[in-house]
Amino acid sequence: MELSTRYNPAETEERWYAHWESRGYFRSTPDDREPFTIVIPPPNVTGVLHMGHMLNNTIQDILIRKARLDGKNACWVPGTDHASIATEAKVVRWLREEKKLRKADITREQFMDYAYQWKEKYGGIILKQLRKLGASCDWDRTAFTMDKGYYADVIRMFVNLYGKGKLYRAMRMVNWDPEAKTVLSNEEVLYNEEQAQLFHIKYLLEGSDNEGIVIATQRPETIFADVAVAVNPKDGRYKKLVGKKVLIPLIDRPIPVIADDYVDIEFGTGALKITPAHDQNDYEVGQRHGLEVIDTISDDGRISDACAYQPIVGLDRFEARKQIKPALEASGHLIKIEDYTTNIGRSERTGVVVEPKLSLQWFVKMSNLGEPALKAVLDEEVKFYPPSFQNLYRNWMENLRDWCISRQLWWGQRIPAWYLKSEAPSKETRVFVAETAEDALAIARQETGNASLAITDLRQDEDVLDTWASSWLWPISVFDGFRQPDGEINYYYPTSVLVTGWDIIFFWVARMIMAGYEFKGQKPFGAVYFTGMVRDKQRRKMSKSLGNSPDALKLLEDFGADGVRYGLMSSAAAGGDILFDDKLCENGRNFCNKLWNALRLVKGWQVSENAENEDIVRKNALAAQWLREKFNQVLTDVDADFRSFRLSEALLTLYGFIWDDFCSWYLEMIKPGYEQPIDRSTYETTLSLFSEIMVAMHPFMPFITEEIWHQLRVRGEGEDCFKQRYPISGKADVKLIEAVEAAKDIITKIRDLRNQNQIKPRDPLSVRIQSGDSAKELFSTSGLREMVMKLAALGELDFTETEPENAKSFISGTDKYYVVLNQEIDVAAECGKIKQDLEYQRGFIRSIEAKLSNEKFVSGAPHQVVENERRKLADGMARIQILEESMKKMGCT
């Protein structure tokens, strides 16, 4: 079959993916092989493919495909996360726009039915899109964090922690999202510098018309929740006022002036309004002084009826701030407004300003959970790549706060806690935690001594669990580790490696490690590969608002999956940000075409069963041996790169070998003359080498490598590149490699002289080699003389004792070569060139001498590295001597 002139990824990729999937190549079941397991970081069920997903999943697919080729039982578990806040928001919008329903108009059960309908219709699109990228997941294992079994695991976890005293319910100051109407963890609040205003407001002393205290606040709408004004006990300005009362502006409610060391004398006026309901630090001050709590902001961010200043009741908090300004000005309480920059926390999910709020919530005690998880990373039982992320992890783990895991939503795992309907909700309300209502009833009867209690006497907690409180169980639950503790979990767990962005190192990575030790007594994975952020060329984070995030599916359409995978990985060092440019994918597409053209060249050769020319046989045998030895070197480097998760380096090593050594040199070395056949032995060797190279490249670019692997030879039923064994590196013949590299240097320099002197590429040249031991040893390599003569298009290549006339010279290694030209030599130009070469060599010698004079380098570097530097020094000195002799002979000044 005639091959097309250009590679067609659209046709190839769909066909091969369907082939692999139909053969069941992605599926894994426990057997006697070594397992290699990856669990996908579950994307939100609401998600669609973006650049971060493509990078992360390309890396996972590379590792999984490499493990399969290494003979391991590779299992890659896909799935999605229910994403409580994000999904509930989408379902609420869907109900409003398509069903004309409000959440408030339906029951919880009806909402959950609609949510599952939405999930079935719109959710999980991203998993279908990952197929286009080439993701070889075991799709039969696709998991979802709201699956029935997974849901039960999360409930069991809650009950387990509660029973061990590691879970509690308490009134705490929390981060509140007024748009989503739910609490947020500290990690879900993003702080950025923003412009704000500082209102300087005067609180008059009770009984005085002008004496008082000026406070500075960013939030004047909260003054009606004030319960005190605090000053530092060491601040002489206010000592006489401590114990007296001041009046809250506009409502004249008296509040005490208190002394507390928390107050910074230097900040603002040195006096602070204390509002325990709306500030964490104020709450702690209030607790120390036994102050009441007045909450004037509702769950939706509006001013509540608890506010004594009626004109702003019912207004949004920011609108209330605008309304208060003229009122304070009119009353004479507003002294001044000052612009300043401050850190403002916003919800990661909705982007609204977070409201500090006192709320009754569920918390996980983190101190005991954190200790084994920190030790595992510091002792490298769980290895981080790159290791520098250990410091970030350690800093967070050594400053753990208890984790608020309750959320005021319906979509999620409902908290398995029940209360007596007869008891009003409060922190003193008795709670009965159990996996089922029936079990909760039994506990309630026992603890209350009331055997006549019925399920109808109980009410279940309305809240659900934080999304991360389900996904921290991911590596365990996807293998039924809670339901079947003696099952396949013991084969696949701990998993081999987790690939994830560093931005969720606290949200997810740390918590999974905690869960692993808490519930399984061992780590959840052996290694964590942190990807960097995909940014644009201006180093900006990609986002819809900036319009700088490419359409991932359009990229796949334009450049093919292999082109995009190459584009991402060619600049994706572990942990480092990627400055994405379409040109990276274009380079990948060009590389695919380079491979395709190499295939077309090889398959276009006529093959002869007999080798007639011994010179050609020797040349081709040397070329094949050289490529094999170079491939051994490359495989050794690639193997080391894979073991250290230097995947970008591994890809670029293979790329350089294929583009330069295989395509540009090897195929040129063995290419038969015009309308001449190639001998069968060289042809078959080339097909074998080409096939092995495709297997080596397969993890990175699976589609084109599979296609070329099949095009090279007729394969048997069930034979696929996908299922081959990854080539194993042997010990490379360094001496032979160096000989051919020396030949390449000679050829390149002769070609350069051709170009400089405008000699046609195929006009035969005569080259003389200055007699010397190193040159004679080099050209004693079988086939090397024939290789140089062919690729440099030489008519003669001989040794000489004297310098020929009308010749230009060059140095390769420590030997001098003369190219005889039938033209007059420009002595001045040649002298200039030699001087330039001489200056370069002297600079080279200085750098080597500096390195060898460094005691630390000589004593600390491996012996072979030091010896290589000494050899470079000797060779450099020899080249300088040759150049100086050339200058002397030519009479250069």
Side-chain angles (χ1 to χ4, degrees), residues 110 161 168 223 288 399 430 435 452 560 574 588 599 687 758 783:
Q110 288 173 321
L161 288 177
Y168 64 94
I223 65 174
R288 286 197 292 273
N399 295 278
R430 285 176 289 183
E435 292 185 30
S452 64
L599 170 69
L687 295 186
Q758 298 179 334

mmCIF file of all heavy atoms in Angstrom, residues 110 161 168 223 288 399 430 435 452 560 574 588 599 687 758 783:
data_model
loop_
_atom_site.group_PDB
_atom_site.id
_atom_site.type_symbol
_atom_site.label_atom_id
_atom_site.label_comp_id
_atom_site.label_asym_id
_atom_site.label_seq_id
_atom_site.Cartn_x
_atom_site.Cartn_y
_atom_site.Cartn_z
ATOM 1 N N GLN A 110 -36.004 15.314 46.151
ATOM 2 C CA GLN A 110 -36.255 15.709 44.761
ATOM 3 C C GLN A 110 -35.012 16.356 44.158
ATOM 4 O O GLN A 110 -34.660 16.096 43.001
ATOM 5 C CB GLN A 110 -37.443 16.683 44.706
ATOM 6 C CG GLN A 110 -38.784 16.038 44.974
ATOM 7 C CD GLN A 110 -39.891 17.081 45.073
ATOM 8 O OE1 GLN A 110 -39.701 18.167 45.633
ATOM 9 N NE2 GLN A 110 -41.066 16.752 44.534
ATOM 10 N N LEU A 161 -13.980 7.860 62.691
ATOM 11 C CA LEU A 161 -13.246 8.955 63.321
ATOM 12 C C LEU A 161 -13.976 9.472 64.560
ATOM 13 O O LEU A 161 -13.351 9.802 65.574
ATOM 14 C CB LEU A 161 -13.044 10.099 62.322
ATOM 15 C CG LEU A 161 -12.039 9.861 61.189
ATOM 16 C CD1 LEU A 161 -12.013 11.051 60.240
ATOM 17 C CD2 LEU A 161 -10.640 9.592 61.723
ATOM 18 N N TYR A 168 -15.295 16.076 65.973
ATOM 19 C CA TYR A 168 -16.130 16.731 66.979
ATOM 20 C C TYR A 168 -16.953 17.841 66.338
ATOM 21 O O TYR A 168 -16.680 18.290 65.218
ATOM 22 C CB TYR A 168 -15.272 17.291 68.112
ATOM 23 C CG TYR A 168 -14.315 18.393 67.698
ATOM 24 C CD1 TYR A 168 -14.680 19.731 67.807
ATOM 25 C CD2 TYR A 168 -13.040 18.091 67.196
ATOM 26 C CE1 TYR A 168 -13.816 20.746 67.423
ATOM 27 C CE2 TYR A 168 -12.172 19.098 66.807
ATOM 28 C CZ TYR A 168 -12.565 20.424 66.921
ATOM 29 O OH TYR A 168 -11.706 21.427 66.532
ATOM 30 N N ILE A 223 -20.253 47.903 62.592
ATOM 31 C CA ILE A 223 -20.102 48.591 63.893
ATOM 32 C C ILE A 223 -21.285 48.307 64.819
ATOM 33 O O ILE A 223 -21.151 48.386 66.041
ATOM 34 C CB ILE A 223 -19.900 50.113 63.731
ATOM 35 C CG1 ILE A 223 -21.128 50.776 63.124
ATOM 36 C CG2 ILE A 223 -18.643 50.406 62.910
ATOM 37 C CD1 ILE A 223 -21.054 52.307 63.071
ATOM 38 N N ARG A 288 -11.839 35.971 75.806
ATOM 39 C CA ARG A 288 -11.007 36.278 76.973
ATOM 40 C C ARG A 288 -11.726 37.206 77.954
ATOM 41 O O ARG A 288 -11.501 37.152 79.161
ATOM 42 C CB ARG A 288 -9.680 36.908 76.521
ATOM 43 C CG ARG A 288 -8.705 35.941 75.900
ATOM 44 C CD ARG A 288 -7.291 36.524 75.849
ATOM 45 N NE ARG A 288 -7.156 37.639 74.935
ATOM 46 C CZ ARG A 288 -6.879 37.523 73.642
ATOM 47 N NH1 ARG A 288 -6.752 36.315 73.111
ATOM 48 N NH2 ARG A 288 -6.754 38.594 72.878
ATOM 49 N N ASN A 399 1.957 23.275 60.986
ATOM 50 C CA ASN A 399 1.060 24.339 61.462
ATOM 51 C C ASN A 399 -0.392 23.969 61.159
ATOM 52 O O ASN A 399 -1.188 24.804 60.709
ATOM 53 C CB ASN A 399 1.423 25.670 60.792
ATOM 54 C CG ASN A 399 2.799 26.153 61.175
ATOM 55 O OD1 ASN A 399 2.973 26.752 62.224
ATOM 56 N ND2 ASN A 399 3.800 25.888 60.331
ATOM 57 N N ARG A 430 -27.786 16.912 72.067
ATOM 58 C CA ARG A 430 -27.186 15.581 72.045
ATOM 59 C C ARG A 430 -27.140 15.056 70.609
ATOM 60 O O ARG A 430 -28.073 15.276 69.820
ATOM 61 C CB ARG A 430 -27.990 14.622 72.935
ATOM 62 C CG ARG A 430 -27.761 14.854 74.420
ATOM 63 C CD ARG A 430 -28.625 13.968 75.280
ATOM 64 N NE ARG A 430 -30.037 14.358 75.221
ATOM 65 C CZ ARG A 430 -30.994 13.769 75.942
ATOM 66 N NH1 ARG A 430 -30.683 12.759 76.754
ATOM 67 N NH2 ARG A 430 -32.246 14.177 75.845
ATOM 68 N N GLU A 435 -23.973 4.787 61.122
ATOM 69 C CA GLU A 435 -24.022 4.652 59.669
ATOM 70 C C GLU A 435 -25.449 4.673 59.138
ATOM 71 O O GLU A 435 -25.683 5.033 57.981
ATOM 72 C CB GLU A 435 -23.315 3.359 59.234
ATOM 73 C CG GLU A 435 -21.805 3.401 59.464
ATOM 74 C CD GLU A 435 -21.100 2.166 58.930
ATOM 75 O OE1 GLU A 435 -21.591 1.572 57.948
ATOM 76 O OE2 GLU A 435 -20.060 1.793 59.485
ATOM 77 N N SER A 452 -38.828 3.886 74.129
ATOM 78 C CA SER A 452 -39.990 4.116 73.248
ATOM 79 C C SER A 452 -39.695 5.081 72.108
ATOM 80 O O SER A 452 -40.563 5.355 71.278
ATOM 81 C CB SER A 452 -41.151 4.661 74.076
ATOM 82 O OG SER A 452 -40.813 5.936 74.617
ATOM 83 N N GLY A 560 -3.040 16.964 16.348
ATOM 84 C CA GLY A 560 -3.024 15.545 16.678
ATOM 85 C C GLY A 560 -2.625 15.330 18.129
ATOM 86 O O GLY A 560 -1.910 16.158 18.726
ATOM 87 N N ALA A 574 9.445 18.507 35.933
ATOM 88 C CA ALA A 574 8.632 18.286 37.142
ATOM 89 C C ALA A 574 8.618 19.533 38.010
ATOM 90 O O ALA A 574 9.654 20.086 38.331
ATOM 91 C CB ALA A 574 9.169 17.098 37.941
ATOM 92 N N GLY A 588 5.723 19.330 17.681
ATOM 93 C CA GLY A 588 5.322 17.925 17.817
ATOM 94 C C GLY A 588 4.765 17.375 16.529
ATOM 95 O O GLY A 588 5.074 16.242 16.133
ATOM 96 N N LEU A 599 9.800 6.750 7.533
ATOM 97 C CA LEU A 599 9.123 5.509 7.145
ATOM 98 C C LEU A 599 8.978 5.429 5.627
ATOM 99 O O LEU A 599 9.269 4.391 5.020
ATOM 100 C CB LEU A 599 7.742 5.451 7.812
ATOM 101 C CG LEU A 599 6.813 4.332 7.326
ATOM 102 C CD1 LEU A 599 7.336 2.971 7.768
ATOM 103 C CD2 LEU A 599 5.385 4.548 7.837
ATOM 104 N N LEU A 687 14.883 -2.136 9.740
ATOM 105 C CA LEU A 687 13.501 -2.326 10.183
ATOM 106 C C LEU A 687 13.434 -2.693 11.661
ATOM 107 O O LEU A 687 12.569 -2.213 12.400
ATOM 108 C CB LEU A 687 12.811 -3.412 9.350
ATOM 109 C CG LEU A 687 12.604 -3.141 7.854
ATOM 110 C CD1 LEU A 687 11.771 -4.263 7.227
ATOM 111 C CD2 LEU A 687 11.926 -1.800 7.618
ATOM 112 N N GLN A 758 31.792 27.530 -2.159
ATOM 113 C CA GLN A 758 30.799 27.425 -3.233
ATOM 114 C C GLN A 758 31.098 26.261 -4.178
ATOM 115 O O GLN A 758 31.068 26.393 -5.407
ATOM 116 C CB GLN A 758 30.722 28.741 -4.002
ATOM 117 C CG GLN A 758 30.275 29.902 -3.117
ATOM 118 C CD GLN A 758 30.213 31.227 -3.867
ATOM 119 O OE1 GLN A 758 30.919 31.404 -4.868
ATOM 120 N NE2 GLN A 758 29.402 32.137 -3.383
ATOM 121 N N GLY A 783 34.981 0.159 7.880
ATOM 122 C CA GLY A 783 33.859 0.857 7.279
ATOM 123 C C GLY A 783 33.884 2.351 7.471
ATOM 124 O O GLY A 783 33.109 3.074 6.838
#
